[in-house]
Amino acid sequence: MTKATRTTRTKVATAAAASVATALPAQPASTTVEQLPLSLSFEQFSDLVGQIYEGPLEDVPWASAMRLVRQYLGANWVTLILRPASISQQAILVRAGEHGEDLYGAAYNQFQGFSLDPFVGLPPDRVLAIDEMIDIRTWIEGDFYKQFIEPNNIRYIIGADIRIEGGGECRLRITRPVTEKNFSEQDKAFCQRLLPHLKRSVKLRSRVEGIESERRLYAVAMDRMQIGTVVLNEQGLIVRSNSVADGILEEKDGIQVVKGKLHAEYALEDRELQRLIKNGLSNVASASPVITEAISLTRPSGQPKLGVLVRSIPCNDLSEGNDWPQVAVFIRDPKHQPAPSHELVRRLFGFTSAEVALALLLTNGLTLDEAAAELNIRKNTARAHLRSIFSKTGVTRQTMLVRLLLNSVASVS
């Protein structure tokens, strides 16, 4: 998980936990609140709720919260099934036991195991004991109990199936061994009190994961298009960059990193670059509309100038802290062109394999004669391929063909 992503998730979890805290009545930390289950102090219950909302930030999600639940209920296992198994995919489970917390991936993680479990299909968002749902004698004598339950020293189980908006579902299961007492009504009431918080936290995690997936998708697209991306915080320090930008900055040819900040090679251009970055940061601070400005940077090597675009990133009232993105800097090196996928080009335009090979070489800047030599074919053959390519794409000049290929979706494959 990147530092910026962790910061984003922390802000979401902190905001959610704060909204819960303000909804609870103020109590002295040392007092026991009668209304709270298991006679927990307000401080203990508040800490547990906070751990639930911070759960998505942990390497093992909700590990701390599951550990506390296990401790308070005297359970030997607490399991959160984030995604039940199906024929097409494995389950995702978080479990807390005497040896710690982990993401579980053993035999029970398969659909065959899940399909044998009789303690499923519970009324939504309601804590029940297994004794209330099935005949215990039949269950204990069954294959599922002997294969998956008994080896883990489990006899008593309470749980809940939590329905998430949009069709999602997660399941909470808490167990005790045969040597302990069955779960009481008070134990069930304690879990029932936690369900709304757990439900909201799982929903928050789902939304953040969706946002993170989109960010990764866009980042991959920028990489494929050979566009360097550098994200700066409110102090102008680099908080994130993609592989394309890293390669350009490592060359130190026109632009480089000095003490965590971007600097151009030549003084006049550097002053202009710093002005653009400062304007972008000021724009964010004043909540003005997003601005985009550009500059070309000269390269000491004599290579074509770098194109640099500076764009402010819109923020909201929660966007505070040194790691919050404020400005994005996009860098394009003309010598690095996107390389369209051979197969996608063939499918998009109906080219033959020979035509694709020729078209991609022309896109990389070779002349027709150079491409023919590279492919070890006759010039007349190359011309015949080119005529066919023109016919299939509707273009009439080589420059138009290059523009067409570079602007097609194949360049982001």
Side-chain angles (χ1 to χ4, degrees):
M1 184 186 301
T2 65
K3 189 175 181 182
T5 300
R6 188 177 294 276
T7 301
T8 303
R9 291 184 172 185
T10 301
K11 293 175 185 297
V12 173
T14 302
S19 67
V20 174
T22 55
L24 294 171
Q27 297 286 344
S30 58
T31 1
T32 296
V33 181
E34 296 299 332
Q35 291 81 5
L36 295 180
L38 303 185
S39 299
L40 295 180
S41 70
F42 178 82
E43 182 181 47
Q44 288 174 311
F45 189 75
S46 178
D47 179 51
L48 175 54
V49 170
Q51 293 296 342
I52 288 175
Y53 282 104
E54 292 182 9
L57 307 176
E58 298 182 83
D59 292 335
V60 177
W62 291 284
S64 299
M66 297 301 100
R67 186 186 312 125
L68 288 176
V69 170
R70 179 175 174 273
Q71 173 188 329
Y72 292 152
L73 288 176
N76 58 347
W77 295 103
V78 176
T79 303
L80 183 62
I81 304 170
L82 297 174
R83 185 181 70 193
S86 67
I87 295 176
S88 60
Q89 62 185 7
Q90 289 187 341
I92 299 176
L93 293 81
V94 178
R95 67 175 187 175
E98 60 180 357
H99 298 300
E101 301 76 38
D102 62 0
L103 287 169
Y104 187 45
Y108 184 55
N109 207 26
Q110 308 295 326
F111 177 68
Q112 288 80 357
F114 264 74
S115 64
L116 297 173
D117 188 353
F119 194 42
V120 294
L122 309 184
D125 306 328
R126 180 182 169 194
V127 177
L128 292 170
I130 192 169
D131 307 59
E132 301 174 80
M133 295 290 295
I134 62 177
D135 180 73
I136 295 302
R137 183 177 297 277
T138 303
W139 178 60
I140 290 177
E141 294 175 354
D143 291 338
F144 180 79
Y145 182 85
K146 295 183 181 302
Q147 186 176 352
F148 296 106
I149 305 302
E150 192 173 37
N152 287 301
N153 191 24
I154 293 172
R155 164 59 182 86
Y156 304 106
I157 306 175
I158 58 174
D161 289 358
I162 305 171
R163 304 288 193 270
I164 310 298
E165 293 177 17
E169 175 187 344
C170 67
R171 301 171 185 172
L172 177 66
R173 299 293 186 265
I174 305 168
T175 70
R176 283 177 180 165
V178 68
T179 54
E180 298 294 330
K181 294 181 179 180
N182 198 355
F183 292 98
S184 66
E185 291 300 317
Q186 188 182 33
D187 296 331
K188 290 162 61 180
F190 168 71
C191 295
Q192 191 69 49
R193 186 72 66 88
L194 296 178
L195 287 190
H197 303 293
L198 186 57
K199 184 173 184 176
R200 293 176 193 136
S201 183
V202 171
K203 183 179 178 182
L204 283 171
R205 176 181 183 267
S206 178
R207 291 193 63 182
V208 171
E209 288 293 331
I211 293 170
E212 179 62 16
S213 295
E214 286 186 19
R215 191 195 69 79
R216 287 195 296 267
L217 176 64
Y218 297 145
V220 169
M222 297 296 276
D223 285 349
R224 297 289 190 185
M225 295 175 68
Q226 292 295 304
I227 297 176
T229 306
V230 182
V231 179
L232 310 179
N233 65 11
E234 61 185 351
Q235 297 175 335
L237 295 169
I238 298 173
V239 294
R240 186 168 60 247
S241 58
N242 68 355
S243 59
V244 178
D246 292 340
I248 294 173
L249 295 173
E250 284 174 6
E251 292 181 359
K252 298 181 180 180
D253 189 15
I255 190 170
Q256 60 184 305
V257 179
V258 179
K259 296 182 179 180
K261 295 186 177 183
L262 292 177
H263 284 277
E265 180 71 26
Y266 297 105
L268 287 176
E269 293 179 346
D270 187 50
R271 280 198 291 271
E272 179 63 10
L273 176 62
Q274 301 311 315
R275 185 188 69 81
L276 298 184
I277 293 174
K278 184 178 179 180
N279 284 351
L281 294 173
S282 300
N283 185 73
V284 172
S286 62
S288 301
V290 173
I291 62 169
T292 302
E293 299 187 86
I295 182 177
S296 294
L297 300 181
T298 306
R299 307 171 74 177
S301 66
Q303 295 281 349
K305 290 185 176 183
L306 296 171
V308 177
L309 186 146
V310 180
R311 188 178 191 274
S312 58
I313 300 175
C315 297
N316 54 45
D317 293 339
L318 295 177
S319 306
E320 298 175 355
N322 290 335
D323 294 322
W324 193 265
Q326 302 280 328
V327 167
V329 179
F330 303 101
I331 310 171
R332 186 65 180 268
D333 184 347
K335 72 179 181 182
H336 293 155
Q337 296 292 338
S341 161
H342 186 286
E343 179 61 20
L344 279 185
V345 170
R346 186 185 67 78
R347 291 184 181 182
L348 280 173
F349 302 105
F351 292 166
T352 65
S353 294
E355 290 167 355
V356 173
L358 176 63
L360 293 182
L361 288 177
L362 296 177
T363 302
N364 288 334
L366 274 65
T367 65
L368 185 62
D369 289 351
E370 290 170 339
E374 180 74 18
L375 296 172
N376 196 26
I377 59 177
R378 296 186 177 187
K379 294 179 183 179
N380 286 340
T381 303
R383 292 190 184 97
H385 288 331
L386 186 59
R387 285 194 297 271
S388 177
I389 290 171
F390 283 171
S391 175
K392 291 176 179 179
T393 57
V395 302
T396 56
R397 289 186 297 171
Q398 187 173 322
T399 54
M400 295 172 64
L401 173 65
V402 171
R403 188 181 303 113
L404 175 67
L405 292 179
L406 291 181
N407 290 332
S408 72
V409 293
S411 64
V412 296
S413 61

